[in-house]
Amino acid sequence: MSVIRKKYCVNGEWLESKTDTYKAVTDSSTGEVIAEVPCCTQDEVESAIAAAHAAYPEWSRLSLSKRTQMLFNWRNILLDHLEELTLLCSKELGKNLDEARGDVLKAIEPTELACALPSIIQGDAAMQVTTGFDTSTYRMPLGVCAGIVPFNFPAMIPWGWMVPLAIATGNTYVLKAATQTPLTSMRILELFYEEGKFPKGIVNLVTCGRKEAEVLLTDPRVKAVTFVGTTQVGKHIYSIASEHGKRVQAQCEAKNHALVLEDCDLESTTNAIINSTYGCAGMRCMALPVVVVQESIADEFVKMLKEKAQKLTVGCAYDPATKLGPVVSAAHQKRVCDWIQKGVDEGAQLVLDGRGIKVPGYENGFFVGPTIFDRVKPGMSVGDCEIFGPVTLVKRVKDFDEGLALMNANPFANGSVIFTQSGYYARKFSFLTDGGMVGINVGIPVPSAYFPFSGNKDSFFGDLHVLGKDGVRFYTRAKTVTTHWYDESSRHVKVGTWEGSVERE
């Protein structure tokens, strides 16, 4: 298989990088290198900022109706290319076809939200705020915005969480695509200009290392930064970018917990946990890797979980029969397997071991089978840190209160879930859990694009989350305008005050 050497995109043009360093992109199912992407130089990153800065004045002054008409057309283009993008995402990342298709559809959904911007972005107004004075608040674009993208959602995160609302509100964009999985995002950008016919420069794309990306945090032309990745890097980005006067959304790590009470529907609960934990091979921040189970049903739950996990078809990501595909790379495969060994060393009970699994015909793929640990105790790092793989950790508790306290002790609070038939406990859980996105008998409590992706604690740094009304506010600033008109027949006007009326010239 020939290896394609990719370019970077500035001002709508795909350019050869001057770098000497390229990163390999692999087919996760076969281990083969299918492309190489440049580690762009700092000058090349700055050229992307310059192109976005130059494109901003004209784009920001375009009417809302024109921008949203273009986005409506763009939404249809993405649908037309759904299967092409699904296959590309599946190959470079390892998601099975259904999950990869969902990745692309989750880019289309926020685009539909952006198409409704003329109603969402409306501000507030009042006439006669004081006598003869009217006041209105408008939402105005910021300028150049930047997105630093992780590997695990190459369509949804850059082209769902970032680009649609940013450009609909009148901003321009620089994407730093993930070097491990850039191909889906690159293909979408090709379609953006070739078929979407968007003006040159409103979205630009580079692939580079952290050193070269640092300019996105410090360049005064960049007004806002959205990041998705580890908490360590997210804290750095938040501190540096905010120090330089930028708005920041830093979506970070997670260790989502589910609380399973003895009154739950155990069959449907286990099915939901299987889907949430092993979907996308566990490589998503809304996976459900930790299950806090009431002791009275723990044995039965673990037995059922193991039986269902063993029935999952592990295989080539783009084989329609596959339920659990590979992880993204050999390095990530090793990382997940090292975490499994760490769990053994810490004394957790290994119920199902996914290491060493081989798929016939795909022996060089980056596979990790479903893995289950039982009797994970507080203080075991395997139960507290993000593994980002198909590993389930079971913690046993005596009752609701112990379970909730255990869950809230974790430093991350992206999502949390309870499985119960009790309205009392469901409501109490919703009120007291630290999780920013809460599920009641829902394994993956990700809201639609009309609501914010609202992680808490060490899972998020910033004030306004991605998507929903938060997303619109993040990409805009308020402008409040007070107007008054003089009577042409007189140089004098009555002006109302709290004390009464006074005459002013």
Side-chain angles (χ1 to χ4, degrees):
M1 179 183 292
S2 61
V3 177
I4 301 170
R5 177 160 282 192
K6 304 296 288 186
K7 302 176 181 181
Y8 69 101
C9 184
V10 168
N11 203 35
E13 303 296 329
W14 292 91
L15 307 171
E16 294 277 1
S17 175
K18 293 182 171 62
T19 187
D20 295 325
T21 304
Y22 281 78
K23 300 287 187 180
V25 181
T26 55
D27 179 326
S28 297
S29 298
T30 66
E32 295 176 296
V33 177
I34 55 177
E36 292 178 335
V37 295
C39 182
C40 292
T41 67
Q42 182 172 321
D43 285 346
E44 289 165 347
V45 178
E46 289 177 349
S47 72
I49 297 172
H53 183 67
Y56 170 71
E58 184 174 353
W59 178 250
S60 65
R61 291 167 190 165
L62 208 61
S63 69
L64 271 174
S65 60
K66 179 62 176 177
R67 291 200 299 261
T68 53
Q69 285 166 13
M70 295 181 73
L71 281 162
F72 188 83
N73 180 55
W74 171 237
R75 174 256 189 199
N76 293 334
I77 292 167
L78 287 173
L79 280 174
D80 290 343
H81 290 269
L82 176 60
E83 295 309 314
E84 174 197 354
L85 296 171
T86 293
L87 181 59
L88 189 54
C89 176
S90 181
K91 281 190 173 183
E92 67 173 339
L93 178 55
K95 292 182 179 182
N96 71 34
L97 289 172
D98 285 342
E99 291 159 352
R101 189 174 295 108
D103 193 331
V104 181
L105 289 171
K106 279 293 185 179
I108 294 172
E109 184 182 283
T111 304
E112 294 171 343
L113 171 65
C115 291
L117 195 69
S119 61
I120 300 171
I121 203 172
Q122 292 175 13
D124 299 313
M127 295 189 74
Q128 198 76 342
V129 175
T130 59
T131 304
F133 289 80
D134 307 326
T135 301
S136 301
T137 298
Y138 304 97
R139 304 299 307 185
M140 307 298 292
L142 304 175
V144 179
C145 301
I148 300 174
V149 180
F151 71 79
N152 62 322
F153 280 89
M156 180 191 79
I157 290 178
W159 292 97
W161 287 13
M162 298 178 181
V163 170
L165 285 180
I167 65 173
T169 50
N171 302 288
T172 54
Y173 221 85
V174 177
L175 284 172
K176 178 198 172 296
T179 53
Q180 289 181 287
T181 57
L183 304 183
T184 305
S185 192
M186 288 177 165
R187 178 56 182 149
I188 292 174
L189 185 55
E190 289 174 354
L191 295 169
F192 185 81
Y193 285 121
E194 291 170 5
E195 298 189 24
K197 307 299 182 185
F198 283 88
K200 305 296 185 184
I202 67 166
V203 178
N204 306 272
L205 185 149
V206 296
T207 48
C208 63
R210 291 183 183 179
K211 179 182 177 182
E212 293 77 16
E214 197 80 2
V215 69
L216 297 173
L217 314 181
T218 59
D219 191 301
R221 292 170 294 185
V222 177
K223 305 303 181 184
V225 178
T226 299
F227 165 80
V228 183
T230 67
T231 294
Q232 180 183 9
V233 177
K235 285 182 176 179
H236 169 77
I237 286 173
Y238 182 76
S239 64
I240 299 299
S242 60
E243 181 183 347
H244 285 80
K246 306 183 194 314
R247 295 185 177 188
V248 185
Q249 296 168 318
Q251 313 283 335
C252 299
E253 293 172 56
K255 193 71 169 180
N256 304 319
H257 286 50
L259 178 55
V260 178
L261 298 184
E262 60 188 2
D263 71 335
C264 73
D265 182 322
L266 196 58
E267 179 80 19
S268 61
T269 294
T270 309
N271 287 338
I273 291 169
I274 286 282
N275 179 51
S276 180
T277 303
Y278 303 121
C280 304
M283 298 183 296
R284 59 185 176 197
C285 60
M286 287 304 288
L288 199 56
V290 183
V291 187
V292 181
V293 188
Q294 200 162 359
E295 183 67 51
S296 57
I297 59 167
D299 288 342
E300 185 181 1
F301 169 75
V302 172
K303 178 183 177 182
M304 186 179 294
L305 184 72
K306 180 180 179 181
E307 290 174 351
K308 290 180 180 294
Q310 288 176 314
K311 293 178 181 179
L312 292 173
T313 303
V314 181
C316 170
Y318 37 93
D319 181 340
T322 293
K323 295 300 181 185
L324 177 58
V327 295
V328 68
S329 66
H332 195 73
Q333 179 190 44
K334 181 180 184 303
R335 179 182 184 275
V336 174
C337 290
D338 287 348
W339 268 113
I340 295 172
Q341 185 58 47
K342 179 75 168 177
V344 173
D345 295 342
E346 290 181 331
Q349 180 184 336
L350 186 59
V351 175
L352 183 63
D353 191 348
R355 293 173 294 181
I357 190 168
K358 295 293 182 182
V359 176
Y362 298 91
E363 287 78 9
N364 294 321
F366 312 130
F367 296 98
V368 180
T371 298
I372 300 171
F373 280 103
D374 191 10
R375 301 183 186 278
V376 178
K377 304 295 185 183
M380 292 182 178
S381 60
V382 72
D384 294 333
C385 302
E386 187 174 60
I387 296 174
F388 227 54
V391 182
T392 308
L393 298 308
V394 178
K395 301 178 180 180
R396 298 181 178 221
V397 295
K398 64 179 183 296
D399 56 23
F400 173 90
D401 291 327
E402 183 184 352
L404 180 66
L406 186 153
M407 295 170 75
N408 284 347
N410 193 269
F412 305 112
N414 218 37
S416 60
V417 175
I418 187 171
F419 290 96
T420 181
Q421 296 302 309
S422 167
Y424 171 80
Y425 281 123
R427 184 179 184 276
K428 186 175 181 181
F429 183 83
S430 298
F431 189 78
L432 296 177
T433 180
D434 288 345
M437 288 164 283
V438 181
I440 309 298
N441 299 316
V442 175
I444 309 174
V446 178
S448 73
Y450 311 107
F451 297 88
F453 191 92
S454 48
N456 289 330
K457 294 166 68 172
D458 279 0
S459 294
F460 176 75
F461 301 96
D463 296 309
L464 295 166
H465 295 85
V466 300
L467 301 178
K469 293 179 181 178
D470 265 22
V472 175
R473 293 188 186 104
F474 179 78
Y475 285 120
T476 57
R477 57 184 172 86
K479 177 180 284 188
T480 301
V481 179
T482 299
T483 60
H484 172 70
W485 300 100
Y486 289 93
D487 185 341
E488 293 183 2
S489 65
S490 173
R491 294 180 58 230
H492 297 80
V493 62
K494 293 287 186 180
V495 180
T497 69
W498 293 113
E499 292 78 24
S501 293
V502 296
E503 193 172 80
R504 294 179 183 169
E505 287 195 2

